Amino acid sequence: MVAKLWLRFVLLVSGTVLAASAYANFPSVPKETYKALSLEQSATPKQLHDALSKRYKDPAQGAGRGTLAQYWEPIPFSMYMDPASFYKPPTSMKEVASRQECVKCHTDESPVWVNAWKKSSHANLDKIRALKPSDPTFYKKAKLEGVENNLRSMGRLGAGEKLKEVGCIDCHVDINTKKKADHSVDMRMPTADVCGVCHLQEFAERESERDTMIWPFKTGWPDGRPSHALDWKANVEVAVFAAMPQREIAEGCSQCHTNQNKCDGCHTRHEFSAAESRKPEACATCHSGVDHNNWEAYSMSKHGKVVSMMGSKWNWDVQLSDAYSKGGQTAPTCAGCHMEYEGKFSHNMVRKVRWANYPAVHGIAENINSEWSEERLDSWVKTCTQCHAERFTRSYLEFMDKGTLHLLAKYQESHEVVEKLYKEGLLTGQKTNRPAPLAPDKEMFAGFTQLYWSKDNNPAAIELKVLEMGENDLPKGHVGLAHVNPGGYTYTEGWGPMNRAYVEIMDENTKIREMVALQKRIDRLEGRRTSLLDIDSPSDKISIGGLGGGMLLAGTIALAGWRRRDKSGR
Amino acid sequence: MVAKLWLRFVLLVSGTVLAASAYANFPSVPKETYKALSLEQSATPKQLHDALSKRYKDPAQGAGRGTLAQYWEPIPFSMYMDPASFYKPPTSMKEVASRQECVKCHTDESPVWVNAWKKSSHANLDKIRALKPSDPTFYKKAKLEGVENNLRSMGRLGAGEKLKEVGCIDCHVDINTKKKADHSVDMRMPTADVCGVCHLQEFAERESERDTMIWPFKTGWPDGRPSHALDWKANVEVAVFAAMPQREIAEGCSQCHTNQNKCDGCHTRHEFSAAESRKPEACATCHSGVDHNNWEAYSMSKHGKVVSMMGSKWNWDVQLSDAYSKGGQTAPTCAGCHMEYEGKFSHNMVRKVRWANYPAVHGIAENINSEWSEERLDSWVKTCTQCHAERFTRSYLEFMDKGTLHLLAKYQESHEVVEKLYKEGLLTGQKTNRPAPLAPDKEMFAGFTQLYWSKDNNPAAIELKVLEMGENDLPKGHVGLAHVNPGGYTYTEGWGPMNRAYVEIMDENTKIREMVALQKRIDRLEGRRTSLLDIDSPSDKISIGGLGGGMLLAGTIALAGWRRRDKSGR
Amino acid sequence: MVAKLWLRFVLLVSGTVLAASAYANFPSVPKETYKALSLEQSATPKQLHDALSKRYKDPAQGAGRGTLAQYWEPIPFSMYMDPASFYKPPTSMKEVASRQECVKCHTDESPVWVNAWKKSSHANLDKIRALKPSDPTFYKKAKLEGVENNLRSMGRLGAGEKLKEVGCIDCHVDINTKKKADHSVDMRMPTADVCGVCHLQEFAERESERDTMIWPFKTGWPDGRPSHALDWKANVEVAVFAAMPQREIAEGCSQCHTNQNKCDGCHTRHEFSAAESRKPEACATCHSGVDHNNWEAYSMSKHGKVVSMMGSKWNWDVQLSDAYSKGGQTAPTCAGCHMEYEGKFSHNMVRKVRWANYPAVHGIAENINSEWSEERLDSWVKTCTQCHAERFTRSYLEFMDKGTLHLLAKYQESHEVVEKLYKEGLLTGQKTNRPAPLAPDKEMFAGFTQLYWSKDNNPAAIELKVLEMGENDLPKGHVGLAHVNPGGYTYTEGWGPMNRAYVEIMDENTKIREMVALQKRIDRLEGRRTSLLDIDSPSDKISIGGLGGGMLLAGTIALAGWRRRDKSGR
């Protein structure tokens, strides 16, 4: 009855899905992934898991320590962030235990994780089998059958065998094993491919982020990023991460960048409550803070506030696709919007990415009106029109894009001013007191490294300010716009702080240039009467820098150097 | 038995109310409003609605684009923020639909808003009629009868007719219409006067904010403000709002300043849950942030925390006046305190305003001990003594007032220092690089505009700092005091940040003046030996400012200009 | 079966506890407290309460206005923060009322506090007596019997008498009194020792913080601190608290520092819900903010978020020791970890303190690997291994310690740079415009006082920056580490802001030293040609400072002074 502008897309996509589902065991897995893996969509679970795991474990395709491995060493806690690379079974534990003994002993040793597990679906498979269609979690019954189908395909479950439980031993040693396990030999921390043996659909969907997050135009981001599927690679291949001697600080980034490696970032062990992971707070610990304040922007928006006010009356146990219709949900959650794509829900959360949180990254703003970006905007329109009119939605998305471009322009104007100072060598201490960053980094202007590494006058204060403007304030402003939080882009975050940074940058720029002018007047006054020898008298030597560096610089020599160059330039 | 100091006010007010209620159809509407509308309190619903609507729609009394209309243009999304001025029915929608067809089609088109509506009282009028006195929402029955009485008075409901439902068509086309509606002709976005046809009492109470928020003494705020009733006018008549070319950023302010225009800021469409709007989070999205952090101050206070800890056990469905007695509430909410006035609750939320959030606004602090202010303080005492002893209450309110005055004094000391620099022309770039703001603004010192507009050295960094001190830190400190949040006025917000701003301002002041002294020494050294011609040699020309401005200033010319004036001043 | 490294401690401590419990009426009270009070552990309730109260009320041991009493005066509201020192019965209230009359009259006068009380255990003692073992709050029955035992020991309850209720009169006049009370004579605000008559165990546990928070090595903190038991003393003996003329701002600190004086900081009057006080939000109002953001760090961590997502399904009415096993809790709360010590729960919350939130306090970092600190770390391991493996726990605690040391080093490097400027007299205005702080303070460098007191150029901006780095950013970083919140130590708080502060400090350091070099060049240019008389010509006089100070300084005289010293130094 209504001619929505994007109807053509619906038809197009429905056609694709229908065509695919005729063959596909996992119709929710994008065809891009099958193509990347050189698989037919009719691939068996085993074929799919094998192909996914092979890529997943391949260092050349993002597994492990990355291309900067030579620059950094793991710390003891690293084994829990990248188990595949660093976990070793505990040598101090000699116990050999059966499936039942694991649970029994750990009920004393670490009672809460056992309690949590006992609440989980993992410990209650028979309850799932007994679910009635009227139960809001009835969908889990089919999901369990799917899991068993996967296990059978992979030869881990007999033809008529039912999975009795998923206990400690299944995830931490071997799925559905009947043997005893030796702590000091057999223990593992489950990586995503281990979870993916049973939860193959979810693993495949998550891994598909690599294949759909393909920038059609050149940006500062490589293909496959940003994504959860390659977030560990994104972490360990950052120069400052590798360079920092303060490993525990650097590994703070790792604490969130583990989704590539394991699934418990969103699915808290050992209850693994699906209801929990549907709640917005599940995303908050990582998607928050100074440079990606998605949580703050959302939770303070009307959307977020309605969820916090009314959510206790909704049924979070229903699956996402039933949340509005059967769960009673009337406002959007993180998962509700970001896991949705063309009316379906999956663990690929980046299929509608357009701005990727960071408008200053090269190439993104330039292409925001490309066909690729417009198609993704159309997909967003479908998401939003579950609750809003299309005209409302499109006018707001235009608002978001234009608002982001305003923020970007303010940043760019500031950046140009500071970069000009840098090019002229006028940043504080630039010629006298600016040590090179640590390898693998090299001298840079307003680079990411300087958010976490500094020494003496590298970076200069104004340089860090414009860097933070682009890395923090601008993303926050965009994120505020994207989550319909006016304070998040106009006054508290975004424009207000960017206006402040601009003002401070302009103020400093003027002062630096006035100081240069003043120095020239003094140079001229000193004229021929003053010899360099005189200036360099020991009593004028000043020490700049503090602990560690021990740098003793003859500041006036440096100033004299400027003067000399300046004079030769006349 | 107890001789409360304010008993005289109780008697006085009770008398007034009793006298009024003998005649009034809407006793909760203040007599000031009847007077302003030249109505008797015995006015019929139709008379009251007509008079209110006439004023509400009058551009001379605050409706629409305001006195700065010539300076700004709406953007597409503006139609949803000020529908009366900008909304047009969608030309792409040709459907003509009956009451039932609206719901039917939108169940597919925008299912969630239909779901939300189905939960609303609007969709369940018969359930309301069937409420038993024991039901906590029984009060809604009388409210519905009142609504029908209003509709009958306005000729929109037959004498014996009952309202069957409030569906899409009633609000978006015409209340209780029996006709079909044409999307492209008949659609409207409901403005407050539309809601006010049924909810006349609430509309009148809300509109009464114009009439009771009357400053008895001259302040920087006009009569009727701050208020929800004129918050749109307050928005569009701000010079920087009108001046900014970045319309999407400016319209960020509009996103909250829509209460004048429509009711869904607090009553989220389309469930319009009264229980929701009673919760503190309902106010949070707007009443939060860098310059009016009411939410942060409250929600982190013990008051707010008790609500978040214990609120799940309270019955939020009871009306506000029953919240403590029947709802089990034991700690205050936004609505509980701010909608209360002399023991009654209404949609006029500004009857106890004394500081209006902004202690630096001219006139407010000066009059905080006036009789007018003291009477409002007495009204607060009644609010607080529901839970606290009078002596406790009065000593805390004195604490709040005195604390606010301390904050104000720290700001004023800082302001004076920076203003002196401005008067002496010593702010960074003040004489060389300070373009005028955009019309309708003119050159200003530390004016509101500079929070959102900046160019080159307008404003100077120290100037913006003192502006933010008065616009952000001082209000936050006061708000922290008002909401009994010690970190909100002593260390995290308020005094701590103001101490920091003061220190930075004093530091900069000294540096600027030392630099002036230094320049004078150089002037003197250059004395007669240096001709202006020499100084203006091309190689000394410096460029200040970046993108867009394209300003190329001979900084030394400007400096020379200072010198010249300076010399002539000797 | 499992050889935990700390098993020796378990055995050791169990042995101690068992040995103690054979004699002790209150086995949860540490032996250190009995020793400090010169009591046997077999002391009667009366003996214990008498000894505790005597110490509690002794000004020489921390009661009352403290050693700086001469410098400050209370304000009216102070009577509610330190009732023992400042509360007086209200002279305006002449009513004499019985137990029943209190309740009756206050049902009208202050209905909500009566409502809250009616929900409390205090008003429902018979319900507690009737609890069945299956009830999650069954533990309260034994607790009530203990209370009655205490009252009998203290002669306040007859041998066969049962306590009927705890009403207004019991706490505000006299426990279990049968007399009428005169408001103007008998009223009191209950101090902790009053609560401790009934809740002796909790009072004693809380008071034991004085005895167990003993630093075995010299630190900047005295014995017994930090603790709740001496938090008032910690407040009033801070010089800036005593010195500030802005009493309402200073008393903002007092608002939280009242746990020494009374119990309602955590146990909100008048419901005194134990379930409430177990929730993390109960600690939030005080343990939050710029210099001790425990709440922000925790609530944004995965731990905190799981509590907020899943907590509504847990039973908060069970006692802490049953929270995981019977309450269904699966993630940690403030109380759950900080009230636990060696498997037992008590109101002593500082037995595992190692870093005390403030890594820059002298002595703490130096001793973090001492045996004392290692033992406390072992106690933490027991806490964490309720949910985590020991190797996981130990590697994370090592992560926390090392991360904190990295943060500390960055601070120390910055501090050294600024202190050097101070020692050389180079801070802005240091020689011209730096008034002494108010008594009892004296001239200081980067001292706590300067967070709240400033005048003219005391402190300098760079000095305040490094002070805040140590007082705010460093503690926040540590707290983020301690609460497993990566953004809390790496980017949003902690390292990121400290990197920014370092950069700004280094930038300013270079500028100050470049300016000094410039001034020397001018000095040299002025050489013998310029007499001091010439420099001091009236037109060069500059005014520094603003309101209040009225300081008029001949800036150039001061500069001349520098020069002179400088020259003489050659």
Side-chain angles (χ1 to χ4, degrees), chain B residues 40-60:
Chain B
E40 299 295 316
Q41 287 184 268
S42 57
T44 64
K46 179 174 169 38
Q47 288 169 329
L48 181 58
H49 190 268
D50 285 352
L52 284 170
S53 297
K54 191 180 166 198
R55 179 170 72 170
Y56 176 76
K57 294 178 180 173
D58 181 2

Side-chain angles (χ1 to χ4, degrees), chain B residues 26-266:
Chain B
F26 299 99
S28 63
V29 179
K31 60 182 189 312
E32 289 90 332
T33 294
Y34 287 103
K35 196 178 163 195
L37 299 173
S38 302
L39 283 181
E40 299 295 316
Q41 287 184 268
S42 57
T44 64
K46 179 174 169 38
Q47 288 169 329
L48 181 58
H49 190 268
D50 285 352
L52 284 170
S53 297
K54 191 180 166 198
R55 179 170 72 170
Y56 176 76
K57 294 178 180 173
D58 181 2
Q61 297 187 72
R65 297 180 61 177
T67 53
L68 305 178
Q70 70 189 98
Y71 295 99
W72 64 280
E73 288 300 323
I75 56 174
F77 195 73
S78 301
M79 80 174 94
Y80 302 104
M81 298 192 282
D82 182 6
S85 297
F86 305 122
Y87 186 81
K88 299 269 181 301
T91 53
S92 62
M93 301 282 161
K94 303 294 182 194
E95 287 74 12
V96 177
S98 71
R99 170 177 295 278
Q100 291 78 13
E101 287 165 341
C102 294
V103 177
K104 189 161 180 291
C105 187
H106 277 286
T107 301
D108 294 329
E109 282 302 307
S110 49
V112 186
W113 92 38
V114 178
N115 289 351
W117 170 75
K118 282 182 178 169
K119 292 184 182 188
S120 73
S121 290
H122 284 165
N124 294 285
L125 300 185
D126 280 342
K127 273 195 195 165
I128 288 174
R129 289 191 184 93
L131 286 170
K132 297 278 186 302
S134 62
D135 192 284
T137 62
F138 181 67
Y139 77 93
K140 289 195 176 185
K141 189 171 175 177
K143 198 160 275 295
L144 174 54
E145 287 162 10
V147 166
E148 292 180 323
N149 194 38
N150 296 340
L151 290 175
R152 284 188 200 105
S153 170
M154 293 182 230
R156 293 175 167 278
L157 195 70
E161 187 186 358
K162 284 189 173 175
L163 197 60
K164 289 203 188 62
E165 66 164 17
V166 182
C168 313
I169 207 166
D170 297 292
C171 303
H172 286 286
V173 177
D174 196 19
I175 295 171
N176 201 23
T177 188
K178 272 75 180 175
K179 295 183 193 160
K180 287 199 169 198
D182 181 342
H183 277 80
S184 65
V185 176
D186 301 323
M187 278 285 285
R188 67 180 176 191
M189 289 294 116
T191 45
D193 61 313
V194 169
C195 301
V197 170
C198 292
H199 301 286
L200 179 54
Q201 178 190 326
E202 290 77 7
F203 178 47
E205 289 168 0
R206 204 284 303 270
E207 286 293 296
S208 77
E209 292 187 342
R210 300 174 181 234
D211 307 311
T212 60
M213 189 58 254
I214 304 298
W215 298 95
F217 37 83
K218 190 171 166 45
T219 72
W221 296 74
D223 279 350
R225 283 174 28 199
S227 74
H228 297 87
L230 287 173
D231 71 345
W232 178 255
K233 178 178 169 67
N235 186 52
V236 295
E237 297 189 351
V238 167
V240 69
F241 170 85
M244 279 178 82
Q246 298 87 356
R247 295 313 307 157
E248 283 73 18
I249 303 300
E251 296 280 5
C253 300
S254 309
Q255 295 255 19
C256 281
H257 280 265
T258 59
N259 294 288
Q260 177 178 333
N261 298 337
K262 53 209 200 74
C263 300
D264 64 355
C266 312

Side-chain angles (χ1 to χ4, degrees), chain A residues 302 305 308-309, chain B residues 276 279-285 295 307-308 334:
Chain A
K302 188 55 86 175
K305 285 300 173 215
S308 77
M309 289 186 282
Chain B
E276 178 193 311
K279 294 194 171 178
E281 290 91 342
C283 311
T285 302
W295 166 253
V307 173
S308 78
C334 309

Side-chain angles (χ1 to χ4, degrees), chain C residues 36 77 85 91 100 105 117 126 183 193 222 301 310 321-322 326 336 346 399 416 453 456 498 505 510 526 543 554:
Chain C
F77 195 73
S85 298
T91 52
Q100 291 76 16
C105 187
W117 171 75
D126 279 342
H183 278 79
D193 61 314
S301 75
M310 306 301 278
S321 56
D322 294 337
K326 298 183 187 169
S346 88
F399 187 117
E416 194 155 320
W453 174 89
D456 301 333
M498 290 177 75
I505 284 167
T510 296
E526 288 172 337
S543 162

